[in-house]
Amino acid sequence: MSVTAPDPRRRRRLGAVAAASLLALTVSGCSGLGRTAVGPVTYTTDREAVVQVNSPSVRGCHRLAPAGARELENGTLVDIIVYPTRDCTGRGAAYVATRFSDVAAESGPPWRSYTFVH
């Protein structure tokens, strides 16, 4: 029985296939994770309570405290829209760019929900 040396081209192909497989597994493992807005959304309620939500999901409508918020700071890397309703609909919404804040008018309703712009 004779022993032959392994073909270097075959070894490279196997290495490339193994690397591609590992890359595919890594990407598919991360794709199930929800995207988040990196950073905090901080708001102050009518009762002066400060609430901070860190890196919320960029998907869906996010409700604020039941009493709503008079002040909101967007410390995330994604712009948001705040609403005076609990379901992210209706008139009177305000656009709050990343790293900015907004204050609800004293005569108007407080902010009750927000959604990310993406």
Side-chain angles (χ1 to χ4, degrees), residues 41-105:
V41 172
T42 307
Y43 61 94
T44 305
T45 68
D46 275 339
R47 296 182 180 175
E48 301 300 320
V50 177
V51 179
Q52 186 175 52
V53 180
N54 288 304
S55 299
S57 171
V58 296
R59 294 179 180 211
C61 179
H62 301 274
R63 289 183 175 182
L64 299 172
R70 283 285 167 198
E71 246 179 85
L72 183 133
E73 181 181 344
N74 180 10
T76 71
L77 300 177
V78 184
D79 297 348
I80 64 175
I81 299 175
V82 291
Y83 299 86
T85 61
R86 306 267 303 143
D87 62 355
C88 297
T89 62
R91 296 179 185 251
Y95 189 93
V96 184
T98 182
R99 307 289 184 189
F100 278 87
S101 61
D102 192 65
V103 178

